[in-house]
Amino acid sequence: MANKPSQFVLVERKLNIGANAGKVVQIAQPTGRHRVSFRNFCERVAKSTTFNRQEVEAVLNYATEIARDIVANGDIVEFGDLGTLKPSFKSKSVPKGEVFNVQKHIEKPVVRLSPSKKYFTLTDVSYEQTTAKPKKGEKPNDSGNEEYP
């Protein structure tokens, strides 16, 4: 599949911290992104395999379900090129000498993804600057952002 450039717009921001604190600077902001549904993603994968879309969807869903069950038991799952899935939670602080109650002081258990740097670092990306689309009810060039050539 041919790579298309990642689109961005330049926006002005006033920084509050760092070397440029209090100054107005330009930053690039991604735009023109589209969401690919899980069903469409599975269709794309199926085109390159002997599986149909439903089979790809079933295998991916089952793999994530099994990985979640393993992590829920406190284990770590190496999830291929994506990275590692680990159990995590928030813990409230309890003064020394006070009884630590698991039900009361541990909350929000989650599956944490430690992404693979190799997989999540995009090296074959090109960029294309575009102009910002006006927000609903806003006239073009009313947003305070200038168009950049």
Side-chain angles (χ1 to χ4, degrees):
M1 181 163 61
N3 288 341
K4 70 175 193 176
S6 291
Q7 296 179 343
F8 70 93
V9 293
L10 288 176
V11 294
E12 293 181 358
R13 289 274 155 52
K14 185 175 181 180
L15 297 183
N16 295 324
I17 59 173
N20 291 321
K23 296 180 182 174
V24 175
V25 296
Q26 295 180 76
I27 61 166
Q29 195 171 57
T31 189
R33 296 173 289 186
H34 301 280
R35 183 176 298 263
V36 176
S37 70
F38 183 64
R39 183 169 276 180
N40 184 278
F41 172 74
C42 290
E43 254 177 48
R44 287 179 167 186
V45 172
K47 283 183 182 177
S48 304
T49 68
T50 58
F51 299 113
N52 64 34
R53 179 194 53 80
Q54 293 88 350
E55 291 169 325
V56 171
E57 194 172 322
V59 168
L60 290 174
N61 279 329
Y62 188 61
T64 56
E65 183 181 318
I66 296 299
R68 187 182 185 287
D69 288 346
I70 292 169
V71 173
N73 287 323
D75 296 323
I76 297 172
V77 175
E78 291 183 10
F79 208 72
D81 291 342
L82 287 177
T84 307
L85 301 172
K86 303 175 185 179
S88 186
F89 52 79
K90 291 191 177 199
S91 175
K92 293 183 178 179
S93 61
V94 177
K96 192 173 181 179
E98 194 175 308
V99 177
F100 186 89
N101 182 338
V102 173
Q103 300 299 324
K104 184 177 169 185
H105 296 115
I106 293 181
E107 56 187 26
K108 298 183 183 177
V110 295
V111 175
R112 180 98 43 223
L113 170 65
S114 299
S116 159
K117 285 185 181 169
K118 181 180 177 188
Y119 181 79
F120 283 95
T121 302
L122 298 175
T123 55
D124 54 347
V125 179
S126 60
Y127 301 95
E128 175 183 72
Q129 185 175 344
T130 64
T131 55
K133 293 179 183 171
K135 295 177 183 170
K136 289 183 179 178
E138 210 175 65
K139 298 176 197 164
N141 265 349
D142 205 22
S143 63
N145 295 336
E146 295 180 31
E147 289 186 26
Y148 296 94

